[in-house]
Amino acid sequence: MLKFAIAYAAAAAVFLVADGFWLGLVAKSFYRNAIGPMMAEQVNVAAAAVFYLLYIVGVVVFAVSPAFETGSWRTALVFGALFGLFAYATYDLTNLATLRDWPLRFAVVDLAWGTFVTALAAVAGYSAACLFHPL
C-alpha cells in the first residue's frame, strides 16, 4: 500500500506543478483567447481540488498499477498517455460536440497537453515508488 501512496504523492506533485505552470504561464493567454468569454471570473477551488484528487487516483489505478505489474516505466508512460488522451478527449470532444463556438484548435492543444502531462505524472509516480519502495 505504501508504494501506491508514494506513487500518488509523486504523480500529484508533478501533475499539479506542470499543470499550474501550463495554465498559469505557458498557455494562459491561449486559453483566454480561445475560450475567454466562457471562463468563470473565479476558479471554483473546490471543484478543481476534487478533479485533481480523483484524476490522480485514475493515473495510479490505470497507468502506474499496470507498470508495477510489468516492472517497466514504459508501461506507465503508454498507459498514462492513453488515460490522459481518453480523459481529455471526454472533456474536449464533448464540448466540441455540444457547445457553440468551442474552438477546434483549443481541443487539439488541450488533448495534446492532457496526453503529455498525464504520461509525465504516471512515469513520475512509478519512478518515485520504485525509488522509495523497491518493487
Side-chain angles (χ1 to χ4, degrees):
M1 197 46 98
L2 180 60
K3 71 180 177 179
F4 288 100
I6 293 168
Y8 183 94
V14 167
F15 193 93
L16 288 169
V17 168
D19 210 37
F21 182 73
W22 173 256
L23 294 172
L25 296 173
V26 174
K28 184 177 183 177
S29 62
F30 173 74
Y31 279 65
R32 189 156 309 285
N33 291 337
I35 61 169
M38 293 178 258
M39 292 174 70
E41 288 187 30
Q42 295 293 328
V43 172
N44 182 331
V45 175
V50 170
F51 163 74
Y52 284 112
L53 289 169
L54 290 174
Y55 193 77
I56 300 304
V57 169
V59 172
V60 172
V61 169
F62 297 112
V64 177
S65 184
F68 288 154
E69 292 177 20
T70 65
S72 173
W73 64 270
R74 288 175 186 87
T75 302
L77 178 75
V78 170
F79 281 69
L82 288 171
F83 181 70
L85 176 65
F86 298 147
Y88 277 67
T90 300
Y91 171 76
D92 284 302
L93 298 179
T94 297
N95 286 343
L96 194 60
T98 61
L99 298 178
R100 184 175 317 141
D101 299 327
W102 190 260
L104 175 61
R105 66 185 164 81
F106 176 85
V108 170
V109 168
D110 202 48
L111 279 165
W113 172 249
T115 301
F116 170 77
V117 73
T118 307
L120 181 68
V123 170
Y126 173 78
S127 298
C130 290
L131 182 64
F132 294 108
H133 188 276
L135 304 176

